[in-house]
Amino acid sequence: MCLHIYLKYSTPVQLYVRVPGSECHLQTFFFLDYSAISLYSLGSAIAYNYYSFPTILINTTFHEIFLPTAVIAGILCTIITCASRLTSGFIKTKLMRISGFIIPYAFCHYPLIYRILFCQDELECDPEALSLHIQEIFLTVSSTSLFLSHIPECFSPGTFDIVGNSHQLFHVGVSLSTYRHLMAFMTDMKNRRELLSTILLHPPSFQGTVLPFGFLAASNLVITVTFLILFKRRNYSKLK
């Protein structure tokens, strides 16, 4: 469901930004896009929490606070990225937007990085699952690096305005990383099901899946409407 929402709102905003239209509508799409990304980060955290968490950290205090903290990180992601649309200054805007995405991504991936570095048994070090997880990280980091460095258009300005620019390569790479992410979770769910069913004190439930997702979705809706009102007020003040 998180993947569906993430793709549903990220795709139209990329189309709408290329055609003339209302600035208010465009900002609305951007706000919804950022909300969808934060929901996807929470969906990833839920999957990590129940299927990919390192065994040594399961049922620890960190494991207990992982999902609530992921919800907070998702809210921060939405607030910071939406606020960047109302901020002046290219560098400041870009730093705010990138930091807004990095906060939930880094936090949600911490258990995975720990597992990759310190896995001990054969099931924990499952090469099939970890290979997919590593591919997801590589694709995300490399795609983001292209986007931030504006490669390849920085080497030949004007050549890649239509096809092949860093923004397009970024979205292609992130789409591939999302697919690897999904496959990695499905692999962990299949291979670790028996182990996790015996050691998890809190198996997947309504309170641990639908409730945090619904809370973040409602929070994002409030944040989106708030920033949309602020955007309209700012534009109205400019016209006076």
Side-chain angles (χ1 to χ4, degrees), residues 103-159:
I103 289 172
Y105 186 86
F107 176 77
C108 293
H109 278 71
Y110 173 77
L112 174 64
I113 300 299
Y114 186 94
R115 178 181 162 196
I116 292 172
L117 295 176
F118 302 108
C119 65
Q120 297 177 349
D121 56 64
E122 184 177 350
L123 187 58
E124 189 84 348
C125 302
D126 179 14
E128 182 183 5
L130 291 189
S131 172
L132 289 167
H133 281 301
I134 292 171
Q135 289 176 48
E136 179 269 322
I137 294 174
F138 172 77
L139 285 167
T140 301
V141 172
S142 57
S143 300
T144 304
S145 299
L146 284 176
F147 177 67
L148 292 176
S149 60
H150 297 288
I151 295 174
E153 63 265 22
C154 65
F155 297 121
S156 182
T159 304

Side-chain angles (χ1 to χ4, degrees), residues 3-124:
L3 177 59
H4 172 72
I5 293 174
Y6 156 60
L7 294 176
K8 180 179 179 180
Y9 286 110
S10 290
T11 303
V13 72
Q14 302 307 320
L15 175 63
Y16 197 88
V17 75
R18 297 292 186 272
V19 298
S22 167
E23 181 70 16
C24 182
H25 290 167
L26 178 60
Q27 294 300 328
T28 301
F29 273 113
F30 273 119
F31 293 156
L32 290 174
D33 184 24
Y34 301 150
S35 297
I37 292 172
S38 78
L39 285 171
Y40 177 75
S41 74
L42 177 61
S44 300
I46 291 172
Y48 281 128
N49 186 67
Y50 290 117
Y51 306 122
S52 302
F53 225 75
T55 308
I56 194 172
L57 295 180
I58 290 178
N59 301 325
T60 61
T61 301
F62 176 71
H63 192 208
E64 293 294 323
I65 66 171
F66 182 69
L67 278 185
T69 309
V71 172
I72 295 172
I75 291 174
L76 286 175
C77 168
T78 308
I79 292 174
I80 295 172
T81 50
C82 287
S84 72
R85 304 297 308 180
L86 306 181
T87 304
S88 59
F90 177 77
I91 296 178
K92 185 178 179 181
T93 298
K94 200 153 194 174
L95 286 175
M96 285 180 67
R97 205 163 296 161
I98 294 300
S99 63
F101 294 139
I102 286 177
I103 289 172
Y105 186 86
F107 176 77
C108 293
H109 278 71
Y110 173 77
L112 174 64
I113 300 299
Y114 186 94
R115 178 181 162 196
I116 292 172
L117 295 176
F118 302 108
C119 65
Q120 297 177 349
D121 56 64
E122 184 177 350
L123 187 58
E124 189 84 348

